[in-house]
Amino acid sequence: MRPSGRKLDELRSVFIETGVTKHAEGSCLIRMGDTHVLCTATIEDKAPPFLKNTGLGWVTAEYGMLPRATNSRTRREAAAGKQTGRTQEIQRLIGRALRAGVDRSALGERQIVIDCDVIQADGGTRCASITGGWVALRLAVNKLLKAGVIVSDPIIDHVAAVSCGIYAGQPVLDLDYVEDSSAGTDGNFILTGSKRLIEVQMSAEGATFSRAEMGELLDLADKGVEALVAAQKAAVA
Amino acid sequence: MRPSGRKLDELRSVFIETGVTKHAEGSCLIRMGDTHVLCTATIEDKAPPFLKNTGLGWVTAEYGMLPRATNSRTRREAAAGKQTGRTQEIQRLIGRALRAGVDRSALGERQIVIDCDVIQADGGTRCASITGGWVALRLAVNKLLKAGVIVSDPIIDHVAAVSCGIYAGQPVLDLDYVEDSSAGTDGNFILTGSKRLIEVQMSAEGATFSRAEMGELLDLADKGVEALVAAQKAAVA
Amino acid sequence: MRPSGRKLDELRSVFIETGVTKHAEGSCLIRMGDTHVLCTATIEDKAPPFLKNTGLGWVTAEYGMLPRATNSRTRREAAAGKQTGRTQEIQRLIGRALRAGVDRSALGERQIVIDCDVIQADGGTRCASITGGWVALRLAVNKLLKAGVIVSDPIIDHVAAVSCGIYAGQPVLDLDYVEDSSAGTDGNFILTGSKRLIEVQMSAEGATFSRAEMGELLDLADKGVEALVAAQKAAVA
Amino acid sequence: MRPSGRKLDELRSVFIETGVTKHAEGSCLIRMGDTHVLCTATIEDKAPPFLKNTGLGWVTAEYGMLPRATNSRTRREAAAGKQTGRTQEIQRLIGRALRAGVDRSALGERQIVIDCDVIQADGGTRCASITGGWVALRLAVNKLLKAGVIVSDPIIDHVAAVSCGIYAGQPVLDLDYVEDSSAGTDGNFILTGSKRLIEVQMSAEGATFSRAEMGELLDLADKGVEALVAAQKAAVA
Amino acid sequence: MRPSGRKLDELRSVFIETGVTKHAEGSCLIRMGDTHVLCTATIEDKAPPFLKNTGLGWVTAEYGMLPRATNSRTRREAAAGKQTGRTQEIQRLIGRALRAGVDRSALGERQIVIDCDVIQADGGTRCASITGGWVALRLAVNKLLKAGVIVSDPIIDHVAAVSCGIYAGQPVLDLDYVEDSSAGTDGNFILTGSKRLIEVQMSAEGATFSRAEMGELLDLADKGVEALVAAQKAAVA
Amino acid sequence: MRPSGRKLDELRSVFIETGVTKHAEGSCLIRMGDTHVLCTATIEDKAPPFLKNTGLGWVTAEYGMLPRATNSRTRREAAAGKQTGRTQEIQRLIGRALRAGVDRSALGERQIVIDCDVIQADGGTRCASITGGWVALRLAVNKLLKAGVIVSDPIIDHVAAVSCGIYAGQPVLDLDYVEDSSAGTDGNFILTGSKRLIEVQMSAEGATFSRAEMGELLDLADKGVEALVAAQKAAVA
């Protein structure tokens, strides 16, 4: 029934390749089907000004899409002179999600910037950014630990995300672009490795939804995140 | 237990005063406790370019906050030269929510712009904007119907929103600023008059949450929206 | 002869309601007929950098208009990404006018920001902003005096403003939007409580004017400001 | 008594050199003492959109200052990414003033843009821009008349401007930078060749002023404009 | 002598992988040593407005760098709100260079946009962008030819670029970042497949240079471009 | 053969008038035929932040063009809200060129800003800016030396620039606008007084070029710069 032939509860194939750029403190290329996102982590010695003398660190994220990551070319935000509302919404979400998995006191007064740049888009770029962003973050933190800059691990748990939606009347896991474009309801679900919820964003794009449907999507998300966390573990091993 | 002395499932007092500006096609001032938002609806004869020759209309929203609507003065966005990511996120949400209650084909190729300007803020401004924005929209559409510009009512159902969260370990309805600042989890729930879900946005600001907690917040939201829809009905009667 | 039926030298009805927002150090809503402006005063502990170590304080103003304060919707400046030349001109005028009534040395090295936001416009918004802005300023300064932060009153005199113009060949006081749109000459007159001139801005929009006409407008302004100062006194009593 | 040794009612020496650039339809370099402004007029075949099908033309102005026109270097507005409020205020004033001397119906649906660029500043740059701008406008209009593009002269009268102020307690004509910096009150006076008033802008920079003082400044302005109009006549002869 | 151990006239290893994104009409990833640039070509049905009704097409380019393509993180231009002067200079250069190899009349009134995004930087990114950009362009044009949209091949010749400089007193080919940072003189040389010059940009960064040295660098460039053109041929075969 | 009737190797007439503004530490108006550029030098006590505690100074440049310096009016960059890519490219070039003639250690930790403002344009504005900019720089440095602020002369050599190109198949010196618009190849050549090369920028605008042609243009540039350096010497004598 799904355009891709996938089962309702089937993720796209997930590959996470680490160490893809020589400069970043942590990096990976995450591919969820045809959605490819390059995630890098940069460690900065200073925390943002509002954290001065608090002993707390910060994790933030920036998100971008190459102009031709999409089917028709999207205007380059740098040329347009500003980031769209969509871009800002996404990067705020990524940062918030990753911070939920971090003990900022153990991190100390420094900042880690996660850059998520979409090389090719086929739906679910924000979720892939979060799942891949966590891997880049994990690798960067490993460097800090190895170098003895910090002594206790600030990473509390895995953070991974997946989209689910009602497509053609059926709850489906991990929507690709074709499904996403015509789904009546869809949502993004961000969970920890221990299946606690970090963020749930469900939205009726065409049809409102019931609490029962919401429950079904949460079940799918649970299942999807389990596989994504396994992929993260394999990648950082 | 709540700083305001309210019960866990108690809304702040809600007042919706209509017809507050002489120029707009629809307007109201919504007050939810100390959160006051002025909502106006402007009818424009043309739909946005991407709808040309589709027969479909559009509802969009803009959101702003007066600089001293907040406890300490916030920089004026017009002076700063751009809207913050937060502002853009909110106004996209308001527009999306209101469109979910509109039959855009019955509206025809025109646009209604809902401006939501926060006069005084005490938490929950985006929810108040949606609830009040719907009233302004309803009044503007009434004008179109009365003038015979459109013949069938494009408004399918009420749209109202309320925030809920886990405050001091307890699920509470309609957070004010003090609660919002320290809640571990909070969310915004947008529902129709018939209690279908339009948008659910839950976020762990400090503590992750379980599906059971999520269910409790949904119960509260249900109850809150019931009262808000009643207030909308009274206002537009 | 006037569209509103007012006499040539008749002000619109003036209401000044104070304490309209709970956050600001001083606030009022001034209504001159259908022109409604919300004025708030914010006290900042620091003066602008160019006053460092001078012992002098500063009063500045920002001006904005809600998008639907006008008959047809005006583009939101925050969305446009900049303030128009008109807005900047007006807010510079408000700040300059209010400073003329303040002993900046008695104020000390702090800044008071007056925000004037037009809720509904029907001509004369800059004058209403000055008259109402002074009330907000007065209330904020009262707080400083009461708290003993400053010991001598930095406010030297009232500051109030009114527009006058030649409408249909006749000098008239306090133009509303209809008059303003077709007046050949109009001007803004800012005076102190003791009737000294602070600023005179007369401009031929369609017809040049003589010194005799200028004198007549000054006479009207004198009369109008007298009433406005009385309203200020009543408001802050 | 004046730093320059001038009499109270003495203008600085005025030179207007026309034809200073080969490209513009009209141009002059006006020097009022050490204030030097290059004024050019550009004829555009189209009027602004808001005049479409009205038969009316438009005159507009832009103003700029070379970074080192001033004693200490001023930041280049193009590099800063925006024009200051002061610049916008001045260029709006120049355009308004020149339009007051033009019959826009005789001009027809075209636009003349007056660019006023300050090469060297020593006070009074906006007044010099208006006086010189009129000369550039006159020359450009002459071209249109000579080419038969328009048949009746749209220029109704001369437009010239001068600043006056209260310096060291005395009313003085044509303030230079040193005087302008310490004047308690100053103003800009724009008049026609037949001594009708176009715009009066008086402002208390440090001390409020009386109507009597205002009268004295108007007398000085009258006298100054007489000389400026004579210089305009000589320049365009 | 060279930090990388390369001979004076030795290029870094060059790999050009085509078809790297599924959406673009032409694409490649070019790797010159550790400099990796993703180049995509987008065909647009319309030429820019200034070519309307000329029968001529256009090739333009945009250039960007991922924030962590560099050793320390570079601020994201989209977040900064503008492209730097360097970025604009580079993308103008790429467009100019590629147009020199195109018969714009054979291309017809359409535009091809070449996006060059640096994934990892180690010197020479603008040269790699040109060499890789040509490959993306060639592939996109092939599509137009194959589809019969155009009938004669608008591509006249190969276009490739390489940097050369005086490093530690010796002329060297294809500078990497370490060499580039300390070279006294360096330049970029853009040539056609038939070794005609398209653009030469030589610049003394620390030491001026003689015509003899310039000749030596041109010899090196000639040699380098020969190898790059061979790599292009292999890639598009 | 040349539109101006000049010989192939003939410069336009060059005039350099110094001391043209009273405020700048150094200034000149350079006229190369109908290209007129006003160059001013501003001495700033501080070097840019990246040079803090290095003992090194900086020379930078800004470039602008009056809107009607060109045949048809160019949009004012300050009004447009940004400098074009062309402007940024030119001002970076001017700064780089002038720095090549300066011993930044002898200059000490201060900055000299060269503003080059084109009053009238007829081709070759960037070259005239460099040649005239050097004169302004020389005069400003003379002031520092005379005042004893610096003791050894930081200026190593003259810096001058000229454009050359292939026009109608012939190599010509110092292209004016008409030639520049139709030249197949043109370039800018920046040399020192002792004829060392600082920067060479050759570009095929319509036809690629050979090394032999490049050699011919370099010969012309050599000759042109000789005359320009002589003019600089005469101007600063």
Side-chain angles (χ1 to χ4, degrees), chain A:
Chain A
M1 184 219 61
R2 302 180 71 174
S4 60
R6 278 188 283 150
K7 278 178 273 172
L8 298 181
D9 65 351
E10 189 181 343
L11 273 187
R12 291 176 284 183
S13 55
V14 183
F15 297 100
I16 304 177
E17 182 188 352
T18 59
V20 293
T21 68
K22 73 170 188 174
H23 298 301
E25 280 78 42
S27 72
C28 76
L29 174 66
I30 181 168
R31 284 180 286 161
M32 295 197 61
D34 280 340
T35 289
H36 303 173
V37 185
L38 186 66
C39 305
T40 60
T42 297
I43 301 170
E44 293 178 353
D45 280 346
K46 284 201 295 193
F50 64 88
L51 290 177
K52 199 154 188 187
N53 299 326
T54 61
L56 299 173
W58 195 247
V59 175
T60 190
E62 286 190 6
Y63 171 93
M65 218 189 248
L66 296 195
R68 198 54 200 279
T70 43
N71 188 39
S72 58
R73 188 174 182 271
T74 308
R75 190 170 180 206
R76 188 179 290 268
E77 288 184 325
K82 61 173 176 177
Q83 295 179 303
T84 62
R86 178 186 172 276
T87 291
Q88 291 189 62
E89 201 168 310
I90 292 175
Q91 63 193 12
R92 283 156 55 91
L93 174 68
I94 301 170
R96 221 157 54 222
L98 295 177
R99 282 194 298 278
V102 169
D103 173 351
R104 301 198 285 117
S105 150
L107 179 57
E109 279 193 31
R110 55 183 55 80
Q111 174 166 266
I112 301 184
V113 182
I114 306 298
D115 284 292
C116 301
D117 286 274
V118 180
I119 302 297
Q120 187 175 274
D122 187 32
T125 62
R126 79 189 70 189
C127 290
S129 295
I130 290 166
T131 306
W134 185 88
V135 170
L137 173 64
R138 174 73 272 176
L139 295 172
V141 167
N142 286 353
K143 260 197 191 154
L144 288 174
L145 286 166
K146 199 170 166 190
V149 178
I150 54 177
V151 287
S152 74
D153 188 359
I155 294 190
I156 305 166
D157 201 347
H158 285 251
V159 175
V162 73
S163 72
C164 302
I166 313 280
Y167 172 76
Q170 299 273 18
V172 297
L173 176 64
D174 188 21
L175 290 78
D176 57 32
Y177 180 74
V178 171
E179 292 169 330
D180 190 43
S181 307
S182 64
T185 291
D186 67 14
N188 297 295
F189 302 82
I190 311 176
L191 286 88
T192 64
S194 48
K195 304 293 185 55
R196 298 275 297 173
L197 294 157
I198 291 174
E199 188 127 356
V200 172
Q201 292 197 333
M202 289 190 57
S203 182
E205 295 284 344
T208 54
F209 54 98
S210 66
R211 279 181 66 172
E213 288 168 322
M214 189 164 160
E216 290 179 288
L217 298 189
L218 279 161
D219 289 340
L220 286 174
D222 226 73
K223 192 171 169 194
V225 163
E226 198 161 299
L228 292 170
V229 168
Q232 288 178 330
K233 283 185 176 152
V236 302

Side-chain angles (χ1 to χ4, degrees), chain F residues 42-62:
Chain F
T42 297
I43 300 171
E44 293 178 352
D45 279 347
K46 283 200 297 191
F50 64 89
L51 290 178
K52 197 155 189 187
N53 299 325
T54 62
L56 298 173
W58 195 247
V59 175
T60 190
E62 286 191 5

Side-chain angles (χ1 to χ4, degrees), chain D residues 69-104:
Chain D
T70 41
N71 189 38
S72 60
R73 187 174 183 271
T74 307
R75 191 171 178 204
R76 187 179 290 269
E77 288 184 324
K82 62 172 177 179
Q83 295 179 303
T84 61
R86 177 187 172 275
T87 290
Q88 292 190 59
E89 201 169 310
I90 292 175
Q91 63 193 12
R92 282 156 55 91
L93 174 67
I94 301 170
R96 221 158 53 222
L98 294 177
R99 281 195 299 278
V102 169
D103 173 350
R104 300 199 285 116

Side-chain angles (χ1 to χ4, degrees), chain F:
Chain F
M1 185 221 60
R2 302 180 72 173
S4 59
R6 279 188 283 150
K7 277 179 275 173
L8 299 181
D9 64 350
E10 189 181 343
L11 274 187
R12 291 176 284 183
S13 54
V14 184
F15 297 99
I16 304 177
E17 181 187 354
T18 60
V20 294
T21 68
K22 74 170 188 175
H23 298 302
E25 281 76 42
S27 72
C28 76
L29 174 67
I30 181 167
R31 285 181 285 161
M32 295 197 61
D34 280 340
T35 289
H36 303 174
V37 185
L38 186 66
C39 305
T40 60
T42 297
I43 300 171
E44 293 178 352
D45 279 347
K46 283 200 297 191
F50 64 89
L51 290 178
K52 197 155 189 187
N53 299 325
T54 62
L56 298 173
W58 195 247
V59 175
T60 190
E62 286 191 5
Y63 170 93
M65 218 190 247
L66 297 194
R68 199 53 200 279
T70 43
N71 188 39
S72 59
R73 188 173 182 272
T74 307
R75 190 172 179 203
R76 188 179 289 269
E77 289 184 324
K82 63 173 177 177
Q83 295 179 303
T84 62
R86 177 185 173 277
T87 291
Q88 292 189 61
E89 202 169 309
I90 291 175
Q91 64 193 13
R92 283 157 53 91
L93 175 68
I94 301 169
R96 222 157 53 221
L98 294 177
R99 282 194 298 278
V102 168
D103 174 351
R104 300 197 287 117
S105 150
L107 179 57
E109 279 194 30
R110 55 183 53 79
Q111 174 166 267
I112 301 184
V113 183
I114 307 298
D115 284 292
C116 301
D117 285 275
V118 180
I119 301 296
Q120 187 176 275
D122 187 31
T125 63
R126 79 189 70 189
C127 290
S129 296
I130 290 166
T131 306
W134 184 88
V135 170
L137 174 64
R138 173 74 273 175
L139 295 172
V141 167
N142 285 354
K143 260 198 189 154
L144 288 174
L145 286 166
K146 200 171 166 190
V149 178
I150 54 176
V151 287
S152 75
D153 188 359
I155 294 190
I156 306 167
D157 201 346
H158 285 251
V159 175
V162 73
S163 73
C164 303
I166 314 281
Y167 173 75
Q170 300 273 19
V172 296
L173 176 65
D174 188 21
L175 289 79
D176 56 31
Y177 180 74
V178 171
E179 292 169 330
D180 190 45
S181 306
S182 65
T185 290
D186 67 13
N188 297 296
F189 302 84
I190 311 176
L191 286 87
T192 64
S194 48
K195 304 292 185 56
R196 299 274 298 171
L197 293 157
I198 290 174
E199 188 126 356
V200 172
Q201 290 197 334
M202 290 190 56
S203 183
E205 296 285 342
T208 53
F209 53 98
S210 67
R211 280 182 64 172
E213 288 169 322
M214 189 165 161
E216 290 179 288
L217 298 189
L218 279 161
D219 289 340
L220 285 174
D222 226 73
K223 192 170 168 193
V225 163
E226 200 161 296
L228 292 169
V229 168
Q232 288 178 330
K233 283 186 177 152
V236 302

Side-chain angles (χ1 to χ4, degrees), chain D residues 14 69 86 98 102 106 120 177 184 202 214 223 234:
Chain D
V14 183
R86 177 187 172 275
L98 294 177
V102 169
Q120 188 176 275
Y177 180 74
M202 290 190 57
M214 191 165 158
K223 191 171 169 190

